[in-house]
Amino acid sequence: MQGKNKSLRVVVADNESIIRLDIREMLEDAGHEVVGEAINGRKAVELTRQHHPDLVLMDIKMPEMDGITAAKKIYETKIAPVILLTAFSQADIVEKAKDSGVLGYLVKPVQESQLFPAIEIALSRWQEMQGLEGELEKLKDSLETRKLIDRAKGIIMAAHKLGEQEAYRRIQQYAMQKRVPIKDVAQSIIKAAGGKA
């Protein structure tokens, strides 16, 4: 991570100020910026929404809102990856952490030799997840477009007594003439026929 030259913007949340200070020093010594510090999960979620950091490092046991609950809220907003910090390495905590979308887990006291590899892995997994979500969105859009075109073809086929290929060709030609996406043409045809696009 230190060798990559990319300066990260990080939110650190722990109710122990000495832990926050240690982590801040490690991060800043490596060229990263701590954009916010929180003493509880509620504030960590607030700071994450406010600063859109590259990463959140957060203790599990904090007042007001624990780290796992806060991690889940951050994960649901898809703002940043979360690495949890804990004084205990317990199987039930690890299980809950996995269910909250956490991408890393470190046992305190945090060692620099463990921190940076954990950050690198979390960021790599985060990028993979973002890429997969982008692909999923494209597939959903493609499927929706396909369904709209099929409905529009059916309307054209019935109205003009045409075959499927000819109906599609006409929709395609109209889209090219008007220089609009074929999806928009299909939606217009469906609307004009009194259906909901």
Side-chain angles (χ1 to χ4, degrees):
M1 181 68 18
Q2 297 107 310
K4 286 200 173 172
N5 288 349
K6 183 186 185 308
S7 177
L8 299 174
R9 298 171 70 253
V10 184
V11 166
V12 178
D14 196 303
N15 57 324
E16 295 179 46
S17 58
I18 191 79
I19 301 284
R20 289 195 316 271
L21 181 64
D22 284 349
I23 292 171
R24 174 187 277 279
E25 283 179 3
M26 280 187 258
L27 291 167
E28 288 176 348
D29 287 350
H32 305 300
E33 179 188 2
V34 175
V35 293
E37 289 186 35
I39 60 168
N40 60 54
R42 185 187 51 73
K43 186 69 176 167
V45 172
E46 247 175 62
L47 288 170
T48 301
R49 287 180 178 152
Q50 182 183 342
H51 295 289
H52 288 262
D54 299 304
L55 179 73
V56 179
L57 291 165
M58 183 163 33
D59 188 25
I60 287 179
K61 295 196 180 212
M62 291 185 291
E64 285 191 52
M65 181 188 289
D66 67 74
I68 290 176
T69 305
K72 192 167 189 144
K73 287 183 180 293
I74 292 168
Y75 175 74
E76 286 166 357
T77 61
K78 299 189 182 358
I79 295 173
V82 176
I83 295 177
L84 283 180
L85 311 172
T86 183
F88 316 100
S89 182
Q90 295 172 303
D92 63 322
I93 290 176
V94 173
E95 212 42 54
K96 284 179 186 171
K98 283 194 311 193
D99 293 340
S100 67
V102 167
L103 295 181
Y105 181 90
L106 289 168
V107 177
K108 294 193 288 187
V110 176
Q111 305 296 316
E112 193 170 329
S113 61
Q114 296 168 336
L115 176 63
F116 294 106
I119 288 174
E120 203 161 324
I121 289 167
L123 291 174
S124 176
R125 285 186 182 153
W126 179 254
Q127 286 175 331
E128 269 178 41
M129 285 170 53
Q130 299 300 94
L132 288 173
E133 284 183 13
E135 284 179 38
L136 184 60
E137 283 307 308
K138 282 183 196 168
L139 287 172
K140 283 181 185 174
D141 188 53
S142 178
L143 182 60
E144 182 190 331
T145 299
R146 184 80 246 148
K147 286 178 181 178
L148 287 170
I149 291 170
D150 284 346
R151 282 180 61 198
K153 277 192 308 191
I155 292 165
I156 299 287
M157 288 163 60
H160 301 285
K161 310 282 187 259
L162 298 172
E164 187 176 351
Q165 279 186 321
E166 180 59 23
Y168 180 71
R169 194 181 67 73
R170 286 194 182 181
I171 294 169
Q172 212 176 16
Q173 279 180 331
Y174 189 79
M176 288 190 313
Q177 285 171 357
K178 296 292 181 186
R179 290 193 166 110
V180 294
I182 196 165
K183 180 180 179 179
D184 294 354
V185 174
Q187 286 173 323
S188 297
I189 292 167
I190 295 164
K191 258 189 194 157
K196 287 182 182 172

PDB file of all heavy atoms in Angstrom, residues 110-133:
ATOM      1  N   VAL A 110      -3.313  -2.867  16.816  1.00  0.00           N
ATOM      2  CA  VAL A 110      -3.055  -2.971  15.382  1.00  0.00           C
ATOM      3  C   VAL A 110      -1.572  -2.754  15.105  1.00  0.00           C
ATOM      4  O   VAL A 110      -0.980  -1.783  15.560  1.00  0.00           O
ATOM      5  CB  VAL A 110      -3.903  -1.925  14.606  1.00  0.00           C
ATOM      6  CG1 VAL A 110      -3.577  -1.964  13.122  1.00  0.00           C
ATOM      7  CG2 VAL A 110      -5.384  -2.176  14.840  1.00  0.00           C
ATOM      8  N   GLN A 111      -1.010  -3.699  14.367  1.00  0.00           N
ATOM      9  CA  GLN A 111       0.405  -3.612  13.969  1.00  0.00           C
ATOM     10  C   GLN A 111       0.475  -3.110  12.533  1.00  0.00           C
ATOM     11  O   GLN A 111      -0.325  -3.518  11.696  1.00  0.00           O
ATOM     12  CB  GLN A 111       1.069  -4.996  14.041  1.00  0.00           C
ATOM     13  CG  GLN A 111       0.961  -5.683  15.382  1.00  0.00           C
ATOM     14  CD  GLN A 111       1.684  -4.928  16.478  1.00  0.00           C
ATOM     15  OE1 GLN A 111       2.804  -4.473  16.285  1.00  0.00           O
ATOM     16  NE2 GLN A 111       1.030  -4.772  17.612  1.00  0.00           N
ATOM     17  N   GLU A 112       1.433  -2.249  12.264  1.00  0.00           N
ATOM     18  CA  GLU A 112       1.599  -1.713  10.911  1.00  0.00           C
ATOM     19  C   GLU A 112       1.774  -2.842   9.896  1.00  0.00           C
ATOM     20  O   GLU A 112       1.259  -2.787   8.784  1.00  0.00           O
ATOM     21  CB  GLU A 112       2.819  -0.780  10.885  1.00  0.00           C
ATOM     22  CG  GLU A 112       2.887   0.059   9.646  1.00  0.00           C
ATOM     23  CD  GLU A 112       3.952   1.139   9.737  1.00  0.00           C
ATOM     24  OE1 GLU A 112       4.236   1.641  10.842  1.00  0.00           O
ATOM     25  OE2 GLU A 112       4.496   1.484   8.679  1.00  0.00           O
ATOM     26  N   SER A 113       2.489  -3.899  10.295  1.00  0.00           N
ATOM     27  CA  SER A 113       2.746  -5.027   9.389  1.00  0.00           C
ATOM     28  C   SER A 113       1.458  -5.759   9.006  1.00  0.00           C
ATOM     29  O   SER A 113       1.406  -6.448   7.987  1.00  0.00           O
ATOM     30  CB  SER A 113       3.722  -6.013  10.035  1.00  0.00           C
ATOM     31  OG  SER A 113       3.164  -6.534  11.235  1.00  0.00           O
ATOM     32  N   GLN A 114       0.408  -5.615   9.812  1.00  0.00           N
ATOM     33  CA  GLN A 114      -0.881  -6.240   9.498  1.00  0.00           C
ATOM     34  C   GLN A 114      -1.849  -5.241   8.873  1.00  0.00           C
ATOM     35  O   GLN A 114      -2.678  -5.605   8.048  1.00  0.00           O
ATOM     36  CB  GLN A 114      -1.510  -6.805  10.769  1.00  0.00           C
ATOM     37  CG  GLN A 114      -0.709  -7.914  11.404  1.00  0.00           C
ATOM     38  CD  GLN A 114      -1.206  -8.246  12.804  1.00  0.00           C
ATOM     39  OE1 GLN A 114      -1.826  -7.424  13.472  1.00  0.00           O
ATOM     40  NE2 GLN A 114      -0.930  -9.463  13.240  1.00  0.00           N
ATOM     41  N   LEU A 115      -1.745  -3.981   9.279  1.00  0.00           N
ATOM     42  CA  LEU A 115      -2.684  -2.950   8.821  1.00  0.00           C
ATOM     43  C   LEU A 115      -2.657  -2.769   7.308  1.00  0.00           C
ATOM     44  O   LEU A 115      -3.698  -2.834   6.654  1.00  0.00           O
ATOM     45  CB  LEU A 115      -2.379  -1.613   9.511  1.00  0.00           C
ATOM     46  CG  LEU A 115      -3.231  -0.416   9.064  1.00  0.00           C
ATOM     47  CD1 LEU A 115      -4.702  -0.631   9.375  1.00  0.00           C
ATOM     48  CD2 LEU A 115      -2.731   0.871   9.727  1.00  0.00           C
ATOM     49  N   PHE A 116      -1.483  -2.547   6.743  1.00  0.00           N
ATOM     50  CA  PHE A 116      -1.419  -2.219   5.325  1.00  0.00           C
ATOM     51  C   PHE A 116      -1.784  -3.382   4.398  1.00  0.00           C
ATOM     52  O   PHE A 116      -2.504  -3.169   3.420  1.00  0.00           O
ATOM     53  CB  PHE A 116      -0.085  -1.547   4.986  1.00  0.00           C
ATOM     54  CG  PHE A 116       0.022  -0.198   5.648  1.00  0.00           C
ATOM     55  CD1 PHE A 116       0.844  -0.005   6.746  1.00  0.00           C
ATOM     56  CD2 PHE A 116      -0.768   0.856   5.216  1.00  0.00           C
ATOM     57  CE1 PHE A 116       0.901   1.233   7.381  1.00  0.00           C
ATOM     58  CE2 PHE A 116      -0.721   2.095   5.844  1.00  0.00           C
ATOM     59  CZ  PHE A 116       0.116   2.284   6.935  1.00  0.00           C
ATOM     60  N   PRO A 117      -1.375  -4.631   4.708  1.00  0.00           N
ATOM     61  CA  PRO A 117      -1.874  -5.737   3.886  1.00  0.00           C
ATOM     62  C   PRO A 117      -3.402  -5.874   3.989  1.00  0.00           C
ATOM     63  O   PRO A 117      -4.080  -6.143   2.987  1.00  0.00           O
ATOM     64  CB  PRO A 117      -1.169  -6.969   4.465  1.00  0.00           C
ATOM     65  CG  PRO A 117       0.087  -6.427   5.072  1.00  0.00           C
ATOM     66  CD  PRO A 117      -0.298  -5.083   5.618  1.00  0.00           C
ATOM     67  N   ALA A 118      -3.967  -5.659   5.180  1.00  0.00           N
ATOM     68  CA  ALA A 118      -5.427  -5.750   5.348  1.00  0.00           C
ATOM     69  C   ALA A 118      -6.127  -4.666   4.529  1.00  0.00           C
ATOM     70  O   ALA A 118      -7.166  -4.912   3.907  1.00  0.00           O
ATOM     71  CB  ALA A 118      -5.802  -5.611   6.823  1.00  0.00           C
ATOM     72  N   ILE A 119      -5.548  -3.469   4.503  1.00  0.00           N
ATOM     73  CA  ILE A 119      -6.121  -2.372   3.711  1.00  0.00           C
ATOM     74  C   ILE A 119      -6.081  -2.727   2.229  1.00  0.00           C
ATOM     75  O   ILE A 119      -7.066  -2.564   1.507  1.00  0.00           O
ATOM     76  CB  ILE A 119      -5.361  -1.045   3.971  1.00  0.00           C
ATOM     77  CG1 ILE A 119      -5.693  -0.516   5.372  1.00  0.00           C
ATOM     78  CG2 ILE A 119      -5.702  -0.003   2.910  1.00  0.00           C
ATOM     79  CD1 ILE A 119      -4.884   0.718   5.794  1.00  0.00           C
ATOM     80  N   GLU A 120      -4.945  -3.237   1.784  1.00  0.00           N
ATOM     81  CA  GLU A 120      -4.802  -3.583   0.366  1.00  0.00           C
ATOM     82  C   GLU A 120      -5.819  -4.641  -0.058  1.00  0.00           C
ATOM     83  O   GLU A 120      -6.460  -4.518  -1.108  1.00  0.00           O
ATOM     84  CB  GLU A 120      -3.375  -4.078   0.105  1.00  0.00           C
ATOM     85  CG  GLU A 120      -2.987  -3.911  -1.332  1.00  0.00           C
ATOM     86  CD  GLU A 120      -1.481  -3.960  -1.541  1.00  0.00           C
ATOM     87  OE1 GLU A 120      -0.718  -3.473  -0.693  1.00  0.00           O
ATOM     88  OE2 GLU A 120      -1.089  -4.491  -2.585  1.00  0.00           O
ATOM     89  N   ILE A 121      -6.005  -5.659   0.771  1.00  0.00           N
ATOM     90  CA  ILE A 121      -6.970  -6.725   0.466  1.00  0.00           C
ATOM     91  C   ILE A 121      -8.393  -6.162   0.453  1.00  0.00           C
ATOM     92  O   ILE A 121      -9.175  -6.445  -0.453  1.00  0.00           O
ATOM     93  CB  ILE A 121      -6.836  -7.899   1.468  1.00  0.00           C
ATOM     94  CG1 ILE A 121      -5.523  -8.648   1.198  1.00  0.00           C
ATOM     95  CG2 ILE A 121      -8.029  -8.838   1.370  1.00  0.00           C
ATOM     96  CD1 ILE A 121      -5.122  -9.617   2.291  1.00  0.00           C
ATOM     97  N   ALA A 122      -8.729  -5.340   1.455  1.00  0.00           N
ATOM     98  CA  ALA A 122     -10.080  -4.770   1.532  1.00  0.00           C
ATOM     99  C   ALA A 122     -10.373  -3.900   0.309  1.00  0.00           C
ATOM    100  O   ALA A 122     -11.460  -3.993  -0.278  1.00  0.00           O
ATOM    101  CB  ALA A 122     -10.235  -3.948   2.815  1.00  0.00           C
ATOM    102  N   LEU A 123      -9.410  -3.071  -0.089  1.00  0.00           N
ATOM    103  CA  LEU A 123      -9.621  -2.204  -1.251  1.00  0.00           C
ATOM    104  C   LEU A 123      -9.758  -3.017  -2.540  1.00  0.00           C
ATOM    105  O   LEU A 123     -10.568  -2.693  -3.406  1.00  0.00           O
ATOM    106  CB  LEU A 123      -8.486  -1.188  -1.376  1.00  0.00           C
ATOM    107  CG  LEU A 123      -8.444  -0.112  -0.289  1.00  0.00           C
ATOM    108  CD1 LEU A 123      -7.196   0.750  -0.436  1.00  0.00           C
ATOM    109  CD2 LEU A 123      -9.696   0.747  -0.296  1.00  0.00           C
ATOM    110  N   SER A 124      -8.971  -4.072  -2.648  1.00  0.00           N
ATOM    111  CA  SER A 124      -9.042  -4.933  -3.829  1.00  0.00           C
ATOM    112  C   SER A 124     -10.412  -5.615  -3.914  1.00  0.00           C
ATOM    113  O   SER A 124     -11.046  -5.642  -4.974  1.00  0.00           O
ATOM    114  CB  SER A 124      -7.930  -5.974  -3.760  1.00  0.00           C
ATOM    115  OG  SER A 124      -8.033  -6.869  -4.830  1.00  0.00           O
ATOM    116  N   ARG A 125     -10.873  -6.150  -2.796  1.00  0.00           N
ATOM    117  CA  ARG A 125     -12.205  -6.789  -2.769  1.00  0.00           C
ATOM    118  C   ARG A 125     -13.298  -5.775  -3.068  1.00  0.00           C
ATOM    119  O   ARG A 125     -14.273  -6.079  -3.749  1.00  0.00           O
ATOM    120  CB  ARG A 125     -12.456  -7.427  -1.406  1.00  0.00           C
ATOM    121  CG  ARG A 125     -11.686  -8.693  -1.202  1.00  0.00           C
ATOM    122  CD  ARG A 125     -12.077  -9.338   0.092  1.00  0.00           C
ATOM    123  NE  ARG A 125     -11.315 -10.538   0.325  1.00  0.00           N
ATOM    124  CZ  ARG A 125     -11.053 -11.025   1.515  1.00  0.00           C
ATOM    125  NH1 ARG A 125     -11.489 -10.407   2.595  1.00  0.00           N
ATOM    126  NH2 ARG A 125     -10.363 -12.128   1.648  1.00  0.00           N
ATOM    127  N   TRP A 126     -13.160  -4.561  -2.536  1.00  0.00           N
ATOM    128  CA  TRP A 126     -14.137  -3.489  -2.752  1.00  0.00           C
ATOM    129  C   TRP A 126     -14.239  -3.162  -4.249  1.00  0.00           C
ATOM    130  O   TRP A 126     -15.332  -3.035  -4.790  1.00  0.00           O
ATOM    131  CB  TRP A 126     -13.725  -2.263  -1.942  1.00  0.00           C
ATOM    132  CG  TRP A 126     -14.625  -1.092  -2.105  1.00  0.00           C
ATOM    133  CD1 TRP A 126     -14.369   0.042  -2.799  1.00  0.00           C
ATOM    134  CD2 TRP A 126     -15.931  -0.918  -1.538  1.00  0.00           C
ATOM    135  NE1 TRP A 126     -15.428   0.906  -2.697  1.00  0.00           N
ATOM    136  CE2 TRP A 126     -16.399   0.348  -1.939  1.00  0.00           C
ATOM    137  CE3 TRP A 126     -16.740  -1.720  -0.733  1.00  0.00           C
ATOM    138  CZ2 TRP A 126     -17.650   0.828  -1.565  1.00  0.00           C
ATOM    139  CZ3 TRP A 126     -17.987  -1.235  -0.358  1.00  0.00           C
ATOM    140  CH2 TRP A 126     -18.427   0.020  -0.775  1.00  0.00           C
ATOM    141  N   GLN A 127     -13.081  -3.037  -4.911  1.00  0.00           N
ATOM    142  CA  GLN A 127     -13.083  -2.744  -6.349  1.00  0.00           C
ATOM    143  C   GLN A 127     -13.747  -3.867  -7.132  1.00  0.00           C
ATOM    144  O   GLN A 127     -14.506  -3.622  -8.069  1.00  0.00           O
ATOM    145  CB  GLN A 127     -11.660  -2.505  -6.854  1.00  0.00           C
ATOM    146  CG  GLN A 127     -11.117  -1.158  -6.417  1.00  0.00           C
ATOM    147  CD  GLN A 127      -9.661  -0.968  -6.800  1.00  0.00           C
ATOM    148  OE1 GLN A 127      -8.893  -1.929  -6.895  1.00  0.00           O
ATOM    149  NE2 GLN A 127      -9.271   0.276  -7.001  1.00  0.00           N
ATOM    150  N   GLU A 128     -13.469  -5.103  -6.743  1.00  0.00           N
ATOM    151  CA  GLU A 128     -14.111  -6.251  -7.392  1.00  0.00           C
ATOM    152  C   GLU A 128     -15.622  -6.173  -7.243  1.00  0.00           C
ATOM    153  O   GLU A 128     -16.359  -6.381  -8.207  1.00  0.00           O
ATOM    154  CB  GLU A 128     -13.642  -7.563  -6.748  1.00  0.00           C
ATOM    155  CG  GLU A 128     -12.450  -8.181  -7.374  1.00  0.00           C
ATOM    156  CD  GLU A 128     -12.041  -9.456  -6.633  1.00  0.00           C
ATOM    157  OE1 GLU A 128     -12.911 -10.255  -6.228  1.00  0.00           O
ATOM    158  OE2 GLU A 128     -10.829  -9.631  -6.447  1.00  0.00           O
ATOM    159  N   MET A 129     -16.076  -5.898  -6.018  1.00  0.00           N
ATOM    160  CA  MET A 129     -17.512  -5.809  -5.755  1.00  0.00           C
ATOM    161  C   MET A 129     -18.151  -4.694  -6.568  1.00  0.00           C
ATOM    162  O   MET A 129     -19.227  -4.871  -7.140  1.00  0.00           O
ATOM    163  CB  MET A 129     -17.777  -5.582  -4.262  1.00  0.00           C
ATOM    164  CG  MET A 129     -17.564  -6.813  -3.413  1.00  0.00           C
ATOM    165  SD  MET A 129     -17.590  -6.453  -1.638  1.00  0.00           S
ATOM    166  CE  MET A 129     -19.131  -5.593  -1.430  1.00  0.00           C
ATOM    167  N   GLN A 130     -17.479  -3.538  -6.636  1.00  0.00           N
ATOM    168  CA  GLN A 130     -18.011  -2.408  -7.401  1.00  0.00           C
ATOM    169  C   GLN A 130     -18.119  -2.795  -8.882  1.00  0.00           C
ATOM    170  O   GLN A 130     -19.094  -2.463  -9.537  1.00  0.00           O
ATOM    171  CB  GLN A 130     -17.129  -1.167  -7.251  1.00  0.00           C
ATOM    172  CG  GLN A 130     -16.985  -0.653  -5.833  1.00  0.00           C
ATOM    173  CD  GLN A 130     -18.304  -0.252  -5.205  1.00  0.00           C
ATOM    174  OE1 GLN A 130     -18.945  -1.036  -4.521  1.00  0.00           O
ATOM    175  NE2 GLN A 130     -18.712   0.961  -5.434  1.00  0.00           N
ATOM    176  N   GLY A 131     -17.103  -3.491  -9.386  1.00  0.00           N
ATOM    177  CA  GLY A 131     -17.116  -3.934 -10.782  1.00  0.00           C
ATOM    178  C   GLY A 131     -18.256  -4.899 -11.059  1.00  0.00           C
ATOM    179  O   GLY A 131     -18.948  -4.782 -12.068  1.00  0.00           O
ATOM    180  N   LEU A 132     -18.458  -5.842 -10.142  1.00  0.00           N
ATOM    181  CA  LEU A 132     -19.536  -6.814 -10.317  1.00  0.00           C
ATOM    182  C   LEU A 132     -20.904  -6.143 -10.270  1.00  0.00           C
ATOM    183  O   LEU A 132     -21.803  -6.487 -11.033  1.00  0.00           O
ATOM    184  CB  LEU A 132     -19.453  -7.907  -9.241  1.00  0.00           C
ATOM    185  CG  LEU A 132     -18.310  -8.893  -9.387  1.00  0.00           C
ATOM    186  CD1 LEU A 132     -18.233  -9.808  -8.165  1.00  0.00           C
ATOM    187  CD2 LEU A 132     -18.458  -9.723 -10.652  1.00  0.00           C
ATOM    188  N   GLU A 133     -21.055  -5.164  -9.377  1.00  0.00           N
ATOM    189  CA  GLU A 133     -22.326  -4.451  -9.298  1.00  0.00           C
ATOM    190  C   GLU A 133     -22.589  -3.662 -10.572  1.00  0.00           C
ATOM    191  O   GLU A 133     -23.715  -3.584 -11.039  1.00  0.00           O
ATOM    192  CB  GLU A 133     -22.362  -3.543  -8.072  1.00  0.00           C
ATOM    193  CG  GLU A 133     -22.584  -4.337  -6.807  1.00  0.00           C
ATOM    194  CD  GLU A 133     -22.704  -3.472  -5.570  1.00  0.00           C
ATOM    195  OE1 GLU A 133     -22.858  -2.246  -5.687  1.00  0.00           O
ATOM    196  OE2 GLU A 133     -22.655  -4.049  -4.477  1.00  0.00           O
TER     197      GLU A 133
END
